[in-house]
C-alpha cells in the first residue's frame, strides 16, 4: 500500500500546527495518501467545458444593507473560551509576527 | 546602487469605513471597548454562515474606478487556509481568482504609471496583543472589511515608492472609503524589494509591518543595500519575510517564505457568486468626486501658487469648499491665502473646525472680492474677520460698528501723500532710480499716516500718480 513520505506528513502537520509522534506519522502517511488519491480521482475528471461551480446551491447572493448591529454581549463572546482574562480571550506561547 | 536596479512592488491593506463588518451585521469600530463588537460569525463558530455587506462591494467598485481598474462583473470569494489564533475558523475569506478590480494604475508626477495589478476584498483578523508569553485577542477587528491593493513591480526607487503610497493614500481619503491611518493600522503596506543587474527580477524579499511611509522609504534603501552587499560578496539571496528596525536602520529576518500553495485556497462555498451590473457601475461612477490630481490642475490654472495648492489638497474640507466656486469669477489665489492664512489662524485660536463655521458661500465670495479689489487691506481683514465669521453682518456694517472708515475723499489722501513725499526724500529718489522696494516703503508710510482708512488700491494709485507727475 502506498503512503506519503515522512517529510510530507510532517509538512501537513506543521501547517495544522500539530505535533505527531512516530506512530501517528506512520498512520497518517497511509491515511493522507488515501485522501490524496481520492482527490486525484476528482481532479482527473475532464471539466474544461463546464462553468466553475462554487456551491451546490444555485441561490443568488443576498447582500445586507448597513443598519443593524447584531453583536452579542462580551460575556457571551468570552463564555466558551478556555482561557480568558476579561475582556480578552488569550492563547499561550509566543507567536511570530 | 551603482550597478543594480531596484524593483519594488507594494501590497497595501486598507480598512474600509463601512458602518458594518464585511460578513456580519456587527458595527465596524475598532476603537470600541475590547470584544464588545463581535458575534458568532466573527468568532468563527461552527455552523454559522457569512452574508455580504452591500456597501463593501460599492466601496470596492468606487475604488476600482478611481484607480482606473476594470471591475470584475462575475466574482466569488475564496478561502485562504491557515492556523493562527487571530483567525479561529482556520481560514480567511478573500478573493484569489476574481478580485473586484484589475489592471489599473496610479500616475506619478513624472508621468510614469505604476500599475495596479489587482484590488480585492477580504476580512481583517482579530487584533493580537503579545504579552508575558501570552497572546491576547480582540475580535472587534475580526471581519472588518479590507481592500488589498496590489501594485505591479513597476517601482524603481524609494522616492517612487513614497510618492505612490502618498498618492494612493490621498486618493482613498478623497473617496472617503478609509481613514488611512498608518499609525493606527487602518492602512498597512507590505513591500517586496529585489535588485538585479539585468531586466530579470532578482530574489524577492518581503518587508512587513512598517509603520509609516517615511520608514518604508528608509527600509527599501537599507534592504537594497543589504542585498547588494550579499550579491557583491558572491552570496545568494533566499526568499524571506523581514521587518524593519527604524532605530537600527536595518531589516531583520522574520521567517523564510512558505511555499505559496501552502494556503490551500479553494472557493468559498458559503457565499454564492456576486454579479455586478453595468448599471451599478455607472451609478457609482457618477459618485466619483473630483480626484486630487484633477483638483491640482484646476487650482494651478486659477492662479493658486504651487505650495498653497498642496496645502489645500491636504485639507479636503478647504478643497471641497473651494470647488463650489470653480465656475465663478472668484479670485482663487486670494481665496486660498484667506483660507490658509487668517481663517486657519482663527480656527486654531478658537479650536474649531472649518465645517463648524458653516461659512455661507456668498459671504465668503464677498470677503474674497473685497480683498481682491483691495477695498479692504489685510490689516483691516484681521480687525473684522472674527465678527464677519460669527455674524451675518455685511463688511460695511462691521467696519462701521468698529469705527473703521474707508475714506474715499481722494483730496484728503493726496494731501497726506504729498507730505509723505516731502518727509521721505531719499525713498522718493530711490523710487525714481527704479527701486521697487522704495515704492512699497512709501505705501507703508502712507498707510501708517492714514491709519489704513483708505483702501490699499487707492493709496497705491494716488501715490504712483503723484510720484510720476
Amino acid at each position: 500500500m502506498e503512503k506519503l513520505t515522512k517529510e510530507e506528513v510532517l509538512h501537513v502537520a506543521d501547517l495544522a500546527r500539530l505535533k505527531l509522534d512516530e506512530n501517528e506519522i506512520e498512520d497518517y502517511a497511509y491515511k493522507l495518501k488515501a485522501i490524496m488519491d481520492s482527490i486525484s480521482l476528482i481532479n482527473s475528471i475532464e471539466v474544461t467545458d463546464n462553468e466553475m461551480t462554487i456551491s451546490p446551491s444555485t441561490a443568488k447572493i443576498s447582500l445586507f444593507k448597513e443598519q443593524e448591529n447584531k453583536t452579542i454581549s462580551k460575556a457571551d463572546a468570552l463564555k466558551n473560551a478556555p482561557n480568558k482574562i476579561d475582556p480578552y480571550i488569550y492563547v499561550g506561547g509566543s507567536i511570530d509576527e | 546602487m551603482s550597478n543594480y536596479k531596484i524593483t519594488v512592488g507594494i501590497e497595501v491593506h486598507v480598512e474600509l469605513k463601512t458602518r458594518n463588518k464585511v460578513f456580519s451585521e456587527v458595527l465596524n469600530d475598532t476603537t470600541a471597548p475590547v470584544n464588545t463588537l463581535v458575534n458568532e460569525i466573527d468568532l468563527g463558530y461552527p455552523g454559522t454562515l457569512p452574508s455580504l455587506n452591500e456597501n463593501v462591494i460599492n466601496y470596492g467598485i468606487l475604488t476600482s474606478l478611481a484607480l482606473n481598474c476594470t471591475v470584475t462583473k462575475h466574482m466569488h470569494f475564496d478561502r485562504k487556509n491557515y492556523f493562527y489564533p487571530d483567525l479561529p475558523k482556520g481560514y480567511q475569506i478573500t478573493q484569489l481568482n476574481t478580485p473586484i478590480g484589475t489592471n489599473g494604475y496610479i500616475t506619478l508626477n513624472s508621468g510614469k504609471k505604476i500599475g495596479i495589478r489587482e484590488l480585492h476584498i477580504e476580512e481583517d483578523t482579530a487584533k493580537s496583543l503579545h504579552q508575558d508569553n501570552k497572546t491576547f485577542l480582540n475580535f472587534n477587528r475580526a471581519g472588518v472589511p479590507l481592500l488589498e491593493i496590489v501594485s505591479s513591480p513597476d517601482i524603481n526607487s524609494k522616492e517612487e515608492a513614497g510618492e505612490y503610497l502618498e498618492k494612493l493614500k490621498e486618493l482613498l481619503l478623497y473617496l472617503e472609503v478609509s481613514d488611512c491611518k498608518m499609525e493606527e493600522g487602518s492602512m498597512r503596506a507590505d513591500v517586496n524589494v529585489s535588485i538585479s543587474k539585468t531586466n530579470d527580477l532578482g530574489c524577492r524579499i518581503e518587508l512587513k509591518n512598517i509603520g509609516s511611509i517615511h520608514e518604508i522609504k528608509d527600509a527599501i534603501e537599507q534592504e537594497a543595500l543589504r542585498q547588494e552587499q550579499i550579491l557583491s560578496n558572491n552570496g545568494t539571496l533566499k526568499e524571506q519575510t523581514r521587518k524593519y528596525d527604524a532605530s537600527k536602520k536595518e531589516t531583520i529576518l522574520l521567517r523564510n517564505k512558505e511555499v505559496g500553495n501552502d494556503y490551500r485556497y479553494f472557493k468559498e462555498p458559503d457565499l454564492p457568486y456576486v454579479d455586478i451590473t453595468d448599471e451599478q457601475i455607472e451609478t457609482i461612477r457618477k459618485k466619483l468626486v473630483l480626484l486630487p490630481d484633477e483638483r491640482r490642475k484646476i487650482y494651478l490654472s486659477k492662479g493658486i501658487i504651487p505650495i498653497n495648492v498642496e496645502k489645500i489638497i491636504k485639507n479636503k474640507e478647504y478643497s471641497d469648499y473651494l470647488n463650489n466656486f470653480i465656475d465663478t469669477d472668484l479670485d482663487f489665489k486670494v481665496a486660498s491665502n484667506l483660507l490658509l492664512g487668517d481663517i486657519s489662524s482663527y480656527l486654531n485660536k478658537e479650536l474649531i473646525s472649518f465645517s463648524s463655521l458653516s461659512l455661507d458661500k456668498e459671504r465668503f465670495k464677498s470677503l474674497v472680492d473685497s480683498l481682491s479689489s483691495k477695498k479692504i487691506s489685510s490689516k483691516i481683514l484681521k480687525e473684522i474677520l472674527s465678527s464677519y465669521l460669527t455674524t451675518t453682518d455685511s463688511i460695511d456694517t462691521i467696519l462701521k460698528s468698529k469705527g473703521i472708515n474707508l475714506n474715499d475723499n481722494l483730496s484728503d489722501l493726496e494731501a497726506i501723500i504729498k507730505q509723505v513725499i516731502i518727509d521721505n526724500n531719499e525713498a522718493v529718489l530711490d523710487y525714481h532710480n527704479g527701486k521697487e522696494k522704495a515704492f512699497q516703503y512709501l505705501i507703508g508710510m502712507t498707510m501708517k499716516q492714514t491709519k489704513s482708512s483708505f483702501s490699499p488700491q487707492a493709496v497705491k494709485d494716488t501715490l504712483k500718480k503723484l510720484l510720476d507727475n
Side-chain angles (χ1 to χ4, degrees):
Chain A
M1 195 174 170
E2 285 187 76
K3 62 176 185 175
L4 295 189
T5 65
K6 183 178 179 180
E7 288 68 32
E8 286 169 328
V9 173
L10 287 175
H11 179 66
V12 174
D14 184 51
L15 290 172
R17 306 289 188 258
L18 293 173
K19 197 179 264 185
L20 302 182
D21 63 28
E22 287 300 322
N23 289 335
E24 287 170 323
I25 293 169
E26 184 67 9
D27 187 30
Y28 282 118
Y30 290 103
K31 285 179 176 167
L32 287 173
K33 180 70 171 79
I35 291 170
M36 289 187 70
D37 286 346
S38 301
I39 293 170
S40 296
L41 191 62
I42 295 169
N43 279 341
S44 69
I45 300 168
E46 181 58 53
V47 291
T48 46
D49 293 335
N50 295 51
E51 194 190 348
M52 181 175 61
T53 307
I54 61 169
S55 164
S57 164
T58 55
K60 291 268 179 203
I61 193 158
S62 165
L63 304 172
F64 70 80
K65 303 241 181 234
E66 295 194 302
Q67 50 185 331
E68 301 282 343
N69 181 21
K70 294 183 179 171
T71 187
I72 58 175
S73 69
K74 186 182 66 181
D76 277 344
L78 302 185
K79 197 168 155 187
N80 292 333
N83 302 315
K84 57 202 159 194
I85 298 174
D86 193 1
Y88 287 99
I89 293 167
Y90 73 87
V91 293
S94 73
I95 304 293
D96 65 358
E97 293 170 73
Chain B
M1 296 299 295
S2 52
N3 298 319
Y4 289 94
K5 178 181 164 191
I6 303 178
T7 302
V8 176
I10 302 180
E11 294 163 15
V12 171
H13 286 87
V14 286
E15 288 177 353
L16 296 180
K17 290 200 299 187
T18 51
R19 176 177 158 80
N20 290 114
K21 296 186 178 186
V22 55
F23 299 123
S24 75
E25 292 173 73
V26 170
L27 287 186
N28 167 17
D29 178 5
T30 52
T31 64
V34 173
N35 287 322
T36 57
L37 289 179
V38 291
N39 74 3
E40 300 87 344
I41 295 168
D42 310 321
L43 291 165
Y45 271 34
T48 58
L49 287 172
S51 51
L52 181 60
N53 184 341
E54 182 179 40
N55 220 15
V56 172
I57 297 293
N58 292 339
Y59 279 28
I61 296 172
L62 183 71
T63 310
S64 296
L65 294 175
L67 288 170
N68 309 294
C69 289
T70 304
V71 177
T72 305
K73 292 184 193 164
H74 184 60
M75 62 184 190
H76 65 265
F77 287 85
D78 301 275
R79 290 188 182 181
K80 180 182 180 181
N81 297 280
Y82 65 95
F83 282 92
Y84 205 69
D86 62 10
L87 192 64
K89 65 182 182 289
Y91 58 86
Q92 180 191 34
I93 303 178
T94 180
Q95 291 187 301
L96 175 72
N97 299 124
T98 54
I100 189 164
T102 56
N103 296 324
Y105 61 86
I106 279 182
T107 309
L108 302 184
N109 292 336
S110 63
K112 179 176 177 179
K113 286 182 177 171
I114 305 298
I116 305 287
R117 184 179 285 170
E118 67 171 68
L119 178 150
H120 62 254
I121 297 166
E122 59 189 28
E123 60 182 331
D124 210 344
T125 58
K127 191 165 174 57
S128 304
L129 177 71
H130 306 291
Q131 199 176 312
D132 301 332
N133 211 29
K134 291 186 178 71
T135 297
F136 294 88
L137 297 159
N138 178 1
F139 286 89
N140 288 348
R141 204 181 69 175
V144 165
L146 294 175
L147 276 185
E148 181 173 343
I149 300 159
V150 184
S151 88
S152 302
D154 295 339
I155 298 164
N156 297 116
S157 69
K158 63 172 188 172
E159 289 79 14
E160 285 184 359
E163 191 186 338
Y164 167 79
L165 286 167
E166 292 287 3
K167 280 197 178 282
L168 179 60
K169 181 178 168 183
E170 188 179 86
L171 190 121
L172 296 168
L173 286 171
Y174 268 78
L175 295 175
E176 297 185 348
V177 296
S178 174
D179 58 19
C180 294
K181 291 180 179 167
M182 287 192 87
E183 67 282 8
E184 292 174 20
S186 61
M187 179 176 179
R188 316 190 281 267
D190 298 335
V191 184
N192 293 303
V193 182
S194 68
I195 63 168
S196 174
K197 281 183 177 174
T198 67
N199 285 331
D200 295 329
L201 293 182
C203 179
R204 197 176 72 159
I205 306 292
E206 184 182 33
L207 304 177
K208 284 184 94 76
N209 305 336
I210 313 176
S212 69
I213 294 175
H214 177 72
E215 283 185 11
I216 285 171
K217 289 167 70 178
D218 283 351
I220 289 170
E221 184 175 31
Q222 296 308 321
E223 175 56 24
L225 279 172
R226 185 190 73 86
Q227 292 181 27
E228 187 183 8
Q229 279 171 3
I230 291 171
L231 295 179
S232 301
N233 292 320
N234 296 322
T236 51
L237 292 163
K238 280 199 291 187
E239 288 205 7
Q240 292 175 336
T241 301
R242 303 178 71 86
K243 66 175 182 178
Y244 182 61
D245 186 330
S247 61
K248 291 181 182 165
K249 282 193 174 292
E250 63 182 25
T251 65
I252 294 162
L253 176 67
L254 281 174
R255 55 185 168 267
N256 287 308
K257 276 269 184 192
E258 288 187 54
V259 181
N261 65 10
D262 272 5
Y263 289 125
R264 294 145 287 134
Y265 285 97
F266 64 89
K267 318 292 176 259
E268 169 55 84
D270 288 343
L271 289 164
Y273 281 110
V274 181
D275 289 307
I276 296 170
T277 64
D278 287 332
E279 259 183 316
Q280 253 178 296
I281 295 172
E282 289 317 306
T283 304
I284 291 172
R285 196 189 298 279
K286 284 179 192 147
K287 290 180 189 164
L288 263 184
V289 292
L290 208 52
L291 297 174
D293 278 348
E294 296 167 286
R295 294 183 191 216
R296 282 189 173 90
K297 280 183 200 156
I298 292 170
Y299 297 159
L300 287 169
S301 74
K302 286 189 170 286
I304 302 182
I305 57 171
I307 191 168
N308 281 357
V309 169
E310 291 309 314
K311 285 181 185 171
I312 293 284
I313 293 286
K314 282 221 180 310
N315 188 323
K316 185 167 180 289
E317 273 191 329
Y318 286 170
S319 178
D320 286 344
Y321 192 74
L322 273 184
N323 287 357
N324 290 309
F325 301 95
I326 285 176
D327 295 326
T328 72
D329 62 353
L330 183 86
D331 185 330
F332 268 60
K333 186 177 177 184
V334 170
S336 66
N337 287 339
L338 177 60
L339 285 171
L340 296 168
D342 291 284
I343 289 182
S344 288
S345 301
Y346 174 80
L347 298 175
N348 288 339
K349 190 175 147 208
E350 299 295 323
L351 297 173
I352 55 172
S353 67
F354 181 64
S355 59
S356 69
L357 273 183
S358 302
L359 183 54
D360 178 81
K361 294 183 196 79
E362 289 300 317
R363 286 176 65 73
F364 178 72
K365 185 165 187 313
S366 172
L367 190 58
V368 173
D369 287 348
S370 297
L371 285 162
S372 181
S373 66
K374 302 204 166 24
K375 177 186 171 185
I376 59 169
S377 65
S378 53
K379 187 179 171 194
I380 288 176
L381 170 71
K382 288 184 199 316
E383 291 189 43
I384 66 167
L385 186 65
S386 174
S387 303
Y388 194 72
L389 294 176
T390 52
T391 68
T392 54
D393 292 344
S394 69
I395 293 172
D396 287 337
T397 306
I398 296 169
L399 288 170
K400 200 172 170 188
S401 71
K402 290 187 176 290
I404 302 169
N405 294 312
L406 286 185
N407 199 331
D408 57 2
N409 185 336
L410 288 183
S411 56
D412 285 355
L413 178 59
E414 283 189 13
I416 293 168
I417 290 179
K418 280 175 183 167
Q419 191 58 49
V420 168
I421 287 174
I422 291 165
D423 294 344
N424 295 277
N425 220 349
E426 204 174 324
V428 173
L429 274 174
D430 286 346
Y431 169 76
H432 287 302
N433 287 328
K435 289 188 179 170
E436 179 57 24
K437 275 188 182 168
F439 185 65
Q440 297 302 329
Y441 173 78
L442 291 167
I443 287 178
M445 295 310 291
T446 307
M447 295 298 276
K448 193 176 170 187
Q449 292 300 319
T450 61
K451 298 190 171 60
S452 298
S453 62
F454 289 89
S455 79
Q457 192 62 47
V459 170
K460 192 177 169 187
D461 292 346
T462 311
L463 178 64
K464 191 159 177 51
K465 187 182 86 182
L466 292 176
L467 283 169
D468 291 347
N469 281 340

